[in-house]
Amino acid sequence: SLNPDIVSTACPFCLVMLTDSVNGKKNDGKAKESIQVVDVAQLLLDSVKTPPSDTPPPAGSTEPEDAPEPAPVK
């Protein structure tokens, strides 16, 4: 009845069960096709990612263009 866009959980078993349930509701036409079931860690990752920038940094930026890339987090 809430009509969410995303359903999340931190439990791997619940993720499978919720995904199956949402897919069943989609097949019955009782849920919108765009609804997603994700792990809460994925929501956190998406919230801290910076969007790609197609524009160059503004003039006078203090960040050098040839700065090394940060090491990936494992």
Side-chain angles (χ1 to χ4, degrees):
S1 66
L2 296 176
N3 200 20
D5 295 321
I6 297 175
V7 176
S8 75
T9 182
C11 169
F13 179 76
C14 295
L15 185 68
V16 172
M17 297 299 109
L18 288 168
T19 300
D20 289 347
S21 178
V22 166
N23 286 339
K25 294 285 185 181
K26 285 180 184 179
N27 290 338
D28 293 342
K30 296 179 180 178
K32 55 187 171 187
E33 290 296 319
S34 61
I35 191 170
Q36 299 175 333
V37 179
V38 298
D39 190 278
V40 71
Q42 185 66 41
L43 287 178
L44 177 62
L45 177 64
D46 291 344
S47 73
V48 297
K49 282 184 181 178
T50 55
S53 176
D54 293 336
T55 59
S61 174
T62 59
E63 187 176 309
E65 290 184 22
D66 58 347
E69 291 289 323
V73 177
K74 292 184 181 182

